[in-house]
Amino acid sequence: MHLDLRKSQKLDKKINVLYNEISYQNINLFNSLIENAYLQYNSNLDWIFSKASNRNPLNSNLFHNFVSVLLIDYFINKRISIDSVTVDSTGLYLLIKHHFSNEIKIIKKIKPNYKKRVRVYLYRFKQITLKFYRFFIYKIINIFYKLTINTNEIILIDTFTLKEYINSDRYYGGLFDDSLNYKEKIYFIPTILDIGFKNALKFYIELKKSNRRYILKEDFISFQDLLFAILHIFRIKKIKFKCILINNIDFSFILNDDLSFYNNNPNLAFESFESYLFIKKLKKNGYKISTFINWWENQPHDKAYNLALNKYFQSTNITGYIGFAPRNFDFHLFPNAFESKLNLIPKRIGVIGKGYIKMIKKFDQNLEVFSAPSFRFNHIFQYSKKFDNSEKKIILVGLPISKLKSINLLNAIPLNLDSYFEKYDIQLLIKPHPASKIDEIMKYSNHLNFKNLKFITGNTYDTLKDADVLISSMSSICMESISMNIPCIVYDESIGIEYRPIPEEIDQEIWNICKNQNEILNSLNYFLNRNIATLNKHRKISNYIKNYYFCESNLNSISNFLKPN
């Protein structure tokens, strides 16, 4: 048997099922690996702010490599012969060679070609240069547009800002308008996305002129602080994990590999150090934070915020907000007691509906988790799909943030949908993730040739309410769709772990998981031909989803969410 354990490769169907079983059964074991790593460097900020430390299987190859080792170990223990293994990770290659060289005849490592390595290093250099450039541009603009904070006691809300969302908020829609009692105290702290050399000046000027109150980290951190953050790329090289045994296997090989300059995205660490030092400077300047809302994904910069707040603002209400639908393998969102002990998580965590509380408390029952307003999805409470027997049918394709998964999703949708559903006039709408570049995705797809194709951006609700079926993958729009009685097809390409954006306990009458074109066609045939009886049956399911997995945003729920002292 040959195993190709490169992350982008598709495993044999039966092996992929086994891979997912091993993944799910050994999440606790993976948590133990990270805890053991913390024991060696528990006070080292460079380790804490690295992508390897945050347990996120999407941001890092660490979990994939961990499961790959357990998969090999499983086959060997079952006395199933492995003739050869192909990997693209130096750490995984060294670990297999160290532990399994007697059992595996050929261990092949695919090195990234020279051009790819050069591109990665040039991109790292670009990240650093852009950091300095944006810092100086903002400092110059600040001379003409000085920050004014009208009160010493403030409510800070962590958010992400794209150039299309300066005067509106994709993450907390309606919060600012409804929170009139606290309006003067609320300031947004943006993590800025998709801003480059060409548009930085224009973006910062628009941000300063915005009718929303923004405080940027650059308002408080100095050039020395930025330089300290950038020097992370040199300090991280000093971290070398010694033997970490799990099941008598030394996993330090893959840990150290994940921290290498090639694999470790330093931008996450840069942002984390800036966040930590920003909070420290607020304390130094005498500000009081009554409430801090952290858009919480347990990423390195989230850990930075919470570590600094727990140290410098111990009386502050620190609330983590998971403003999206958590998935089955988002286990980095399920804090453990070890992270609580190190003060890396918020004092309480809000989820968009009570149906997610148990999931978030999976590893620590002592967490305070509550149902918070589902700001981004509040429109679902005003809409439910009605019966429509017209010939015009709209299929909405909601692309996830992952470029690879977006490409695989598009390529799984048949190009000749019209020939399968001749009685319908089908329009295919493609909605990319706001942080994605659609041009980079579409060059790998032939769907530009589809005769009735349209790309859409902007408000999801405006498009989703007109759709007859949604096709997506690992995105919150899946839960949004079925709560509005719009059937959803969740595509999984059987590469690596199987992300399910819809909880398994939800009746699959209104959604299906599909792994190939035939399954997609069968599901489309069922959902496009819903009769009134089926639609009414689905409405009962969608009403349950709406009330159990979402919390309506109103003055009471917002007041509890902000909970000012």
Side-chain angles (χ1 to χ4, degrees), residues 400-443:
I401 192 170
S402 165
K403 177 181 173 181
L404 178 62
K405 286 190 173 291
S406 294
I407 293 168
N408 289 334
L409 169 59
L410 282 173
N411 289 334
I413 299 171
L415 290 171
N416 52 343
L417 282 175
D418 289 327
S419 64
Y420 286 102
F421 304 103
E422 292 180 351
K423 68 177 181 177
Y424 294 128
D425 176 18
I426 291 179
Q427 183 179 30
L428 195 64
L429 301 182
I430 297 179
K431 188 178 191 309
H433 189 278
S436 301
K437 296 179 179 178
I438 189 62
D439 292 343
E440 292 184 4
I441 294 170
M442 292 309 297
K443 66 184 180 183

Side-chain angles (χ1 to χ4, degrees), residues 76-92:
I76 289 173
N77 288 332
K78 292 288 184 180
R79 300 188 183 282
I80 298 172
S81 177
I82 303 174
D83 299 313
S84 60
V85 171
T86 302
V87 299
D88 54 4
S89 159
T90 299
L92 184 56

Side-chain angles (χ1 to χ4, degrees), residues 301-357:
H301 78 274
D302 297 316
K303 288 183 167 68
Y305 273 137
N306 291 297
L307 186 63
L309 287 162
N310 281 307
K311 181 176 181 179
Y312 297 110
F313 292 91
Q314 295 179 6
S315 61
T316 294
N317 290 310
I318 309 169
T319 298
Y321 178 54
I322 304 176
F324 51 92
R327 298 157 302 200
N328 57 336
F329 273 105
D330 284 337
F331 56 83
H332 60 288
L333 294 176
F334 316 154
N336 54 41
F338 194 82
E339 288 172 325
S340 298
K341 182 181 177 182
L342 293 176
N343 289 321
L344 299 177
I345 63 170
K347 292 177 181 176
R348 63 180 194 144
I349 297 172
V351 290
I352 59 172
K354 58 189 176 184
Y356 293 112
I357 292 175

Side-chain angles (χ1 to χ4, degrees), residues 151 153-155 157 174-187 213 290-291 554-560 562-565:
T151 175
E153 189 169 333
I154 53 181
I155 296 173
I157 300 180
L175 167 65
F176 200 81
D177 298 329
D178 292 336
S179 308
L180 298 179
N181 291 340
Y182 316 122
K183 190 173 181 179
E184 298 302 318
K185 293 184 177 181
I186 293 177
Y187 289 84
R213 291 185 178 86
S290 60
T291 295
N554 53 45
L555 288 176
N556 288 332
S557 62
I558 290 173
S559 180
N560 178 56
L562 292 176
K563 197 181 176 182
N565 287 327

Side-chain angles (χ1 to χ4, degrees), residues 476-518:
S476 292
I477 196 174
C478 298
M479 284 294 286
E480 188 176 358
S481 174
I482 59 176
S483 71
M484 294 165 63
N485 199 13
I486 298 164
C488 175
I489 295 171
V490 178
Y491 176 69
D492 177 74
E493 69 273 63
S494 296
I495 297 177
I497 54 179
E498 186 179 289
Y499 279 95
R500 293 206 175 189
I502 300 175
E504 288 186 358
E505 57 266 24
I506 293 178
D507 196 328
Q508 287 201 27
E509 274 280 325
I510 198 170
W511 70 283
N512 271 333
I513 187 160
C514 298
K515 294 180 177 291
N516 54 53
Q517 287 193 355
N518 286 335

Side-chain angles (χ1 to χ4, degrees), residues 239-301:
I239 295 179
K240 297 293 180 186
F241 287 101
K242 299 174 183 177
C243 180
I244 299 180
L245 284 179
I246 304 286
N247 287 358
N248 293 318
I249 299 171
D250 180 8
F251 284 92
S252 64
F253 294 100
I254 59 173
L255 267 167
N256 289 325
D257 183 45
D258 214 55
L259 292 175
S260 69
F261 186 69
Y262 182 79
N263 291 321
N264 182 40
N265 181 359
N267 221 35
L268 293 172
F270 299 160
E271 200 70 45
S272 302
F273 277 104
E274 289 176 28
S275 301
Y276 182 88
L277 295 168
F278 164 71
I279 298 297
K280 183 179 180 181
K281 289 294 179 71
L282 283 177
K283 179 68 174 179
K284 187 177 180 180
N285 283 273
Y287 289 97
K288 294 180 180 178
I289 306 172
S290 60
T291 295
F292 188 97
I293 306 294
N294 172 208
W295 180 272
W296 192 73
E297 300 178 13
N298 209 12
Q299 303 277 26
H301 78 274

Side-chain angles (χ1 to χ4, degrees), residues 13-208:
K13 187 176 180 179
K14 290 182 180 179
I15 294 178
N16 196 69
V17 170
L18 180 60
Y19 177 96
N20 273 273
E21 288 175 0
I22 291 172
S23 297
Y24 191 77
Q25 292 166 3
N26 289 281
I27 292 172
N28 277 323
L29 202 63
F30 181 73
N31 289 342
S32 297
L33 170 64
I34 302 301
E35 285 183 23
N36 276 282
Y38 267 105
L39 290 175
Q40 292 188 24
Y41 291 97
N42 66 353
S43 60
N44 188 301
L45 295 183
D46 290 292
W47 156 245
I48 294 171
F49 298 161
S50 71
K51 70 172 186 175
S53 73
N54 78 330
R55 300 187 293 125
N56 187 337
L58 274 178
N59 279 2
S60 163
N61 292 331
L62 187 59
F63 185 69
H64 166 72
N65 290 338
F66 176 79
V67 175
S68 296
V69 173
L70 297 183
L71 181 67
I72 292 172
D73 195 47
Y74 171 87
F75 285 129
I76 289 173
N77 288 332
K78 292 288 184 180
R79 300 188 183 282
I80 298 172
S81 177
I82 303 174
D83 299 313
S84 60
V85 171
T86 302
V87 299
D88 54 4
S89 159
T90 299
L92 184 56
Y93 171 79
L94 292 173
L95 190 155
I96 295 171
K97 195 173 181 181
H98 182 78
H99 283 281
F100 304 113
S101 57
N102 291 333
E103 291 86 0
I104 301 173
K105 298 174 183 177
I106 301 171
I107 307 168
K108 186 179 180 181
K109 180 192 169 190
I110 305 296
K111 296 181 180 180
N113 62 49
Y114 176 76
K115 288 184 179 180
K116 185 176 180 180
R117 294 189 73 89
V118 169
R119 282 199 303 269
V120 169
Y121 291 131
L122 286 176
Y123 179 67
R124 299 281 186 261
F125 177 74
K126 180 184 175 182
Q127 286 177 305
I128 295 168
T129 307
L130 184 58
K131 271 288 179 188
F132 283 118
Y133 176 78
R134 280 172 37 174
F135 179 84
F136 285 117
I137 287 292
Y138 185 76
K139 288 294 186 182
I140 292 169
I141 291 171
N142 227 13
I143 297 172
F144 304 98
Y145 300 93
K146 289 188 180 296
L147 172 69
T148 302
I149 300 177
N150 299 320
T151 175
N152 270 353
E153 189 169 333
I154 53 181
I155 296 173
L156 294 181
I157 300 180
D158 164 42
T159 189
F160 293 89
T161 302
L162 297 97
K163 55 181 179 287
E164 298 88 357
Y165 290 92
I166 292 177
N167 293 308
S168 61
D169 201 306
R170 181 174 181 266
Y171 300 92
Y172 303 92
L175 167 65
F176 200 81
D177 298 329
D178 292 336
S179 308
L180 298 179
N181 291 340
Y182 316 122
K183 190 173 181 179
E184 298 302 318
K185 293 184 177 181
I186 293 177
Y187 289 84
F188 289 91
I189 314 166
T191 296
I192 296 168
L193 305 175
D194 76 345
I195 302 303
F197 292 100
K198 292 181 180 180
N199 57 358
L201 178 63
K202 181 182 177 182
F203 176 85
Y204 284 133
I205 291 174
E206 288 183 16
L207 199 74
K208 283 293 189 178

Side-chain angles (χ1 to χ4, degrees), residues 519-534:
E519 291 180 3
I520 289 176
L521 287 171
N522 289 336
S523 292
L524 282 173
N525 185 56
Y526 173 66
F527 290 137
L528 289 175
N529 291 293
R530 287 196 297 177
N531 55 32
I532 295 177
T534 303

